[in-house]
Amino acid sequence: MNWPVTSLHGWGVYGLNLALSWASNSEIAHATTKEINENVISIDPLRRRVLQPFFARSAAVLEHLRKETNHSFKLNTVLLTALNSQLNAEPGPHGGALSGSPSLGVVFFESEDLGPSAQKNAADYACIVAGSSWNAEVLRAHGIARVETVLQGIDPTLFHPAPRHRLFPDRFLVFSGGKLEPRKGQDNVMAAWRIFAARHPDAMLMTAWYNPWPATSRGIDALGHTAPLPMTKDGIPDMDGWAAANGIKPEQFLNLGFVPNASMPTILREADAAVFPNRCEGGTNLVAMETMACGVPTILSANTGHLDLLQDGAALALTDQHPIPALPGWRQSNVEEIVAALETLYTDRARAAAIGAAGAKLLAGMTWSKTAAEMKRIITAS
């Protein structure tokens, strides 16, 4: 795999769970080309133990590639490589082009316009694995035929319905997650919450908006339907200050900060609802998947990668989606519809419970084991 393995972001969690799923599979000897920092991999000692062969192979591959002086280097093995929106590959650790025997591209892009070089770049790959049905459709619309759709998964040993602690028994807890940036639409959440929280003093929004690349948070307030996002002197978004600037009381906003992926289930299960009015998702939105898997009634914008989750009543859809001309494929949700969806889950607890149950049922069949099995099938066929 030519991408990192961590617990900090989507690509890292993807790589980590593929590695764990294949750890006991004797038919696959897998490694990553990227340096592994075990300090940013949050797993228990048992999982860490079964990954030791993976860590060792990865270290050997990295050492070998760092000694390579040729700009282009071909590995004598299948290479899964991360692609960007123009279908350009991640460089290898030697700084040059890296290919495999064969190379398979893996992509989660966030635009319907892939650019003029995409079709040419696609010819370098035996197959391109798209992270959502929407991504696959866009690839085919650009004349790229060798496409497979493989959805990401959840770890059902962590993310599943279970008893709640009810740490805030008298509050209506709403969860919002994903790194703070314009694409994730937290400004939509803030604008809707300002209205909803004023109506319901018992409501509290808990957010997991940590962004390891804080500079990408800038512009979240560009539409002007929220107060400007304040930044600390270190360039870090001031989440609490942003909530206060939008007139939200401190007792109605809880910034969770950075939470390791494995620690999220007990937090998610405390929520009465969740909301994701994202403008675009190249994949299926891992945080939303994990939230639904825990049985939390979830509100999703009906666009892009979210469409793979909007089936069988598994979530409450935000259907009023307006195109954003400057960003092909992106959609803007209607703030009033978000408020109305929150009101539905607040007032009709029976319907909310049914949505939560349907979401958990859907996600129980979307596991990392299934993702890994699908990837193995593609690797074997190549």
Side-chain angles (χ1 to χ4, degrees):
M1 299 184 293
N2 191 31
W3 68 77
V5 173
T6 77
S7 298
L8 297 181
H9 50 73
W11 273 108
V13 173
Y14 187 23
L16 176 60
N17 280 283
L18 283 180
L20 284 167
S21 296
W22 286 334
S24 58
N25 191 324
S26 61
E27 296 177 347
I28 295 183
H30 54 306
T32 177
T33 63
K34 302 298 184 180
E35 185 171 8
I36 291 175
N37 178 357
E38 293 195 43
N39 292 326
V40 294
I41 297 177
S42 301
I43 51 176
D44 62 66
L46 292 179
R47 285 172 170 80
R48 196 173 296 276
R49 177 63 178 267
V50 301
L51 283 180
Q52 291 308 308
F54 169 78
F55 292 157
R57 281 192 298 269
S58 297
V61 168
L62 181 63
E63 181 181 10
H64 177 74
L65 289 174
R66 279 178 169 167
K67 294 176 181 177
E68 184 53 48
T69 57
N70 292 326
H71 179 74
S72 298
F73 184 77
K74 186 171 185 176
L75 291 163
N76 187 29
T77 185
V78 176
L79 178 70
L80 299 175
T81 192
L83 305 180
N84 66 15
S85 59
Q86 289 80 45
L87 307 188
N88 293 310
E90 274 276 307
H94 65 306
L98 193 62
S99 61
S101 305
S103 296
L104 305 175
V106 183
V107 71
F108 301 85
F109 54 76
E110 288 127 14
S111 175
E112 288 179 342
D113 182 7
L114 301 186
S117 62
Q119 190 171 16
K120 177 179 178 293
N121 292 340
D124 294 335
Y125 303 97
C127 174
I128 294 181
V129 179
S132 67
S133 299
W134 174 66
N135 264 196
E137 290 168 5
V138 172
L139 287 168
R140 294 187 181 106
H142 281 74
I144 299 164
R146 293 173 295 178
V147 176
E148 293 268 7
T149 303
V150 178
L151 304 182
Q152 295 178 91
I154 55 98
D155 182 344
T157 68
L158 295 173
F159 299 97
H160 56 81
R164 302 162 62 182
H165 290 291
R166 297 196 179 275
L167 298 172
F168 299 90
D170 300 323
R171 306 301 296 270
F172 181 76
L173 291 180
V174 177
F175 173 76
S176 173
K179 60 184 183 292
L180 185 70
E181 61 179 11
R183 183 175 62 83
K184 295 288 186 179
Q186 289 95 342
D187 57 321
N188 291 328
V189 176
M190 192 67 81
W193 193 252
R194 179 172 54 204
I195 299 168
F196 183 81
R199 296 177 184 171
H200 303 286
D202 62 330
M204 181 165 70
L205 179 68
M206 55 179 183
T207 64
W209 292 347
Y210 169 78
N211 187 342
W213 306 281
T216 64
S217 298
R218 297 185 183 277
I220 189 73
D221 47 21
L223 285 183
H225 58 211
T226 66
L229 173 69
M231 308 290 281
T232 69
K233 62 180 181 181
D234 298 321
I236 306 299
D238 180 359
M239 312 286 192
D240 294 298
W242 194 31
N246 281 284
I248 295 167
K249 298 175 181 178
E251 63 268 23
Q252 290 188 287
F253 184 82
L254 175 60
N255 170 26
L256 299 172
F258 170 67
V259 182
N261 184 251
S263 299
M264 283 302 300
T266 54
I267 292 173
L268 292 174
R269 284 191 281 266
E270 292 298 299
D272 297 290
V275 57
F276 297 90
N278 303 29
R279 294 184 170 94
C280 184
E281 284 294 331
T284 40
N285 187 347
L286 273 179
V287 184
M289 293 175 74
E290 292 167 349
T291 303
M292 293 167 67
C294 288
V296 180
T298 299
I299 301 164
L300 295 178
S301 52
N303 65 48
T304 59
H306 277 175
L307 297 175
D308 285 313
L309 302 179
L310 286 168
Q311 50 182 297
D312 303 326
L316 194 56
L318 299 172
T319 58
D320 189 1
Q321 298 290 306
H322 295 271
I324 302 174
L327 296 165
W330 287 37
R331 299 291 186 269
Q332 168 64 19
S333 296
N334 183 317
V335 170
E336 289 296 334
E337 187 181 19
I338 299 170
V339 176
L342 288 168
E343 291 286 359
T344 294
L345 298 182
Y346 182 87
T347 59
D348 191 343
R349 302 301 172 93
R351 184 179 178 192
I355 292 170
K361 182 179 179 180
L362 175 69
L363 268 297
M366 298 174 69
T367 64
W368 284 117
S369 294
K370 183 177 180 180
T371 303
E374 283 292 291
M375 292 294 282
K376 180 187 173 186
R377 174 186 62 79
I378 294 167
I379 291 167
T380 303
S382 66

